[in-house]
Amino acid sequence: MVGMMIDGAGEEADELVTPGEFLGEATQLVAGKGAYVSGRSILASLTGRRTITPPTPGSSDNRSTIEVVGHKAHGAVPQPGSIVIARVTKVMARNASVDIMCVDSKAVKEKFSGIIRQQDVRATEIDKVDMYQSFRPGDIVRALVLSLGDARAYYLSTAKNELGVVSAQSISGGTMVPISWTEMQCPLTGQIEQRKVAKVD
Amino acid sequence: MGKMEDRIDGRNANQLRPLACSRNLLHRAHGSARWSQGNTIVLAAVYGPKAGTKKGENPEKASFEVIWKPKTGQIGKQEREYEMILKRTLQSICLLNVHPNTTTSIIVQVVGDDGSLLPCAINASCAALVDAGIPMKNLAVAISCGLMEEGSIILDLTKSEEEKLKAFAYLVFPNSPLTVIPKVPLSKEQPIEQGIITSVTRGAMPVSGYFDCMNRGVAACAAISEFLRRSLQKQSSDDTSRAA
């Protein structure tokens, strides 16, 4: 049965589907992007072409993944676990406000706000964090979405080596270069400023 | 059964006005669609998902706001009611858990009104949501059914018919179930949503008349559903070929 369904799907892989169309049984396939599970059935939730991806070798689940691809995607929306690129707008004693610009590798179409709390800036000595020595307005930061937060903003974290400030301008207007995990230097004046710097690969 | 001469425009009781649907018309909107049924034309635009939900909405789910723009003049009580019905209808067909704490705005602009305005707006909004890539459980298709004095039922009412009729109903159904898998028929056990999504009635209608409207509406919606599906698929294939 599984073989027949997957073979059949392979033959018709170019067929366009619309929301609500039956794609397969949840016992034999995993619902990917553009599909959802209703009872024991997998149904399409977007308009596009369906594709079946075989399971990765060595995975415990030997079901193939069915997805609906090639559709017009809506703007990216931050979700817990996403890595975002954001611009710092306001720095206060206990938190910093940011505007999210990119989610994973996709630009957002709408404005999403985020908050980096004092305890989420770094993993160690979280009680000694000085927000003004970690971020400044205008800095571009890479952060992890922790949760939906309150009605106003998403809670973000930079408490990993690869998270933090990726680009910052000095007072004199030059783009600063990181010299350590806590410092950035202006190439024009040589002035050193404190930041929570993201480790660049 | 209504005779050919029963209707002003020469249609028989079961005949729908010419349908037309086009998508992706507005560049600033995330999704847009223009739906016409005869001279009733509605343009729908979708913006979002945007951050945050309004006061009173559940932040753990996606929420919708509908803004109705009449052809002329100010928004009135009737339009407010249409906004509410449209909002509830769209919330029932969309997957609300996918983007919690977001709001999607649907702007409905009436271009022409020659009866069956709410069904036309629902069909346009549904096509616009598809164009915006908003995840949906299924498509919704809407139809208007009218009960004549002698008890016969007519479909897809014009404005003049709505004014004359004893009673009429706007009915919204999920799109007819379909499988894309060859050689695998839909079993009776598969929980593909059937039944009715929204029902709006005007005037005094007997129960038997209402059920007749329902049966006739289901048949008409199957035809509209097929048209909508073909329209979406045609435009999706055009988009993908253009992208290639």
Side-chain angles (χ1 to χ4, degrees):
Chain A
M1 178 64 178
V2 181
M4 189 195 85
M5 275 183 65
I6 291 169
D7 293 344
E11 290 162 23
E12 300 282 323
D14 273 345
E15 186 162 354
L16 283 151
V17 296
T18 53
E21 289 187 27
F22 176 75
L23 300 176
E25 295 279 355
T27 52
Q28 294 150 358
L29 295 162
V30 178
K33 286 180 183 175
Y36 72 102
V37 178
S38 174
R40 287 183 295 159
S41 304
I42 295 175
L43 307 176
S45 66
L46 297 169
T47 299
R49 298 179 188 278
R50 68 193 174 94
T51 60
I52 292 179
T53 313
T56 52
S59 68
S60 56
D61 195 343
N62 59 0
R63 293 179 296 171
S64 297
T65 302
I66 192 158
E67 294 182 324
V68 178
V69 297
H71 52 81
K72 180 179 170 182
H74 57 71
V77 177
Q79 287 173 326
S82 302
I83 298 291
V84 298
I85 302 292
R87 179 187 277 113
V88 178
T89 55
K90 192 176 175 185
V91 180
M92 289 162 284
R94 290 184 172 274
N95 57 53
S97 298
V98 300
D99 283 345
I100 295 168
M101 300 187 296
C102 295
V103 178
D104 296 317
S105 57
K106 286 172 73 180
V108 295
K109 289 184 181 177
E110 294 286 340
K111 185 186 160 191
F112 290 94
S113 299
I115 290 172
I116 304 171
R117 296 173 296 183
Q118 188 179 16
Q119 62 265 37
D120 297 324
V121 172
R122 64 182 184 215
T124 57
E125 296 183 311
I126 58 173
D127 53 328
K128 293 179 183 173
V129 171
D130 184 349
M131 292 303 292
Y132 300 106
Q133 296 206 332
S134 302
F135 308 107
R136 299 278 172 88
D139 288 359
I140 305 297
V141 298
R142 187 192 290 128
L144 174 75
V145 180
L146 291 177
S147 69
L148 291 170
D150 56 19
R152 294 187 308 277
Y154 290 82
Y155 286 141
L156 308 180
S157 167
T158 56
K160 281 184 182 174
N161 289 347
E162 66 273 18
L163 304 177
V165 177
V166 291
S167 174
Q169 280 198 329
S170 66
I171 297 162
S172 56
T175 302
M176 296 199 291
V177 290
I179 54 172
S180 77
W181 289 3
T182 58
E183 292 175 324
M184 294 183 104
Q185 187 172 30
C186 173
L188 304 176
T189 61
Q191 187 181 355
I192 292 171
E193 292 184 23
Q194 299 291 309
R195 293 288 195 282
K196 196 288 178 189
V197 182
K199 184 183 176 185
V200 183
D201 298 329
Chain B
M1 199 63 170
K3 297 179 188 69
M4 187 73 89
E5 59 268 25
D6 286 350
R7 304 186 76 169
I8 301 157
D9 52 9
R11 288 182 293 146
N12 63 32
N14 289 339
Q15 200 174 343
L16 306 178
R17 291 175 290 178
L19 299 172
C21 174
S22 48
R23 291 192 296 143
N24 202 12
L25 303 163
L26 306 175
H27 298 296
R28 292 283 178 94
H30 300 149
S32 57
R34 184 180 187 271
W35 183 280
S36 63
Q37 290 175 215
N39 293 328
T40 303
I41 305 163
V42 172
L43 182 64
V46 172
Y47 297 87
K50 298 178 284 192
T53 51
K54 286 190 170 180
K55 194 178 177 183
E57 300 280 358
N58 183 0
E60 290 180 12
K61 291 191 173 178
S63 77
F64 287 83
E65 66 169 351
V66 175
I67 298 161
W68 189 283
K69 304 272 189 184
K71 188 179 178 182
T72 55
Q74 293 291 308
I75 188 166
K77 200 185 286 183
Q78 177 80 76
E79 285 80 13
R80 290 260 180 258
E81 186 189 358
Y82 283 172
E83 281 181 350
M84 185 198 70
I85 293 164
L86 196 46
K87 178 184 170 177
R88 289 185 182 179
T89 301
L90 297 177
Q91 276 185 323
S92 70
I93 62 166
C94 288
L95 291 166
L96 304 180
N97 299 325
V98 178
H99 299 307
N101 199 26
T102 60
T103 301
T104 301
S105 301
I106 298 104
I107 317 293
V108 176
Q109 174 66 61
V110 178
V111 179
D113 180 10
D114 185 29
S116 304
L117 184 58
L118 183 60
C120 193
I122 290 167
N123 293 333
S125 302
C126 185
L129 285 171
V130 169
D131 189 50
I134 304 295
M136 300 163 79
K137 292 180 209 168
N138 44 41
L139 301 172
V141 278
I143 189 72
S144 59
C145 307
L147 185 67
M148 297 183 82
E149 292 289 343
E150 70 273 16
S152 62
I153 287 160
I154 56 172
L155 297 176
D156 195 12
L157 314 172
T158 61
K159 203 169 185 75
S160 58
E161 285 171 340
E162 282 181 351
E163 286 161 4
K164 287 176 192 169
L165 284 172
K166 173 184 161 186
F168 62 88
Y170 296 146
L171 304 172
V172 187
F173 299 95
N175 59 329
S176 49
L178 194 75
T179 176
V180 293
I181 297 166
K183 309 181 211 75
V184 182
L186 280 170
S187 71
K188 285 174 187 167
E189 296 160 28
Q190 267 146 17
I192 290 177
E193 205 167 324
Q194 287 293 9
I196 189 162
I197 296 171
T198 303
S199 170
V200 182
T201 56
R202 293 270 189 280
M205 188 183 287
V207 174
S208 59
Y210 180 72
F211 283 120
D212 285 345
C213 282
M214 286 265 287
N215 293 332
R216 203 71 68 78
V218 168
C221 280
I224 298 172
S225 173
E226 192 49 46
F227 166 79
L228 177 59
R229 192 181 272 128
R230 275 203 314 271
S231 165
L232 296 177
Q233 288 180 343
K234 180 181 176 291
Q235 285 170 12
S236 293
S237 60
D238 290 350
D239 292 346
T240 48
S241 62
R242 214 175 288 136

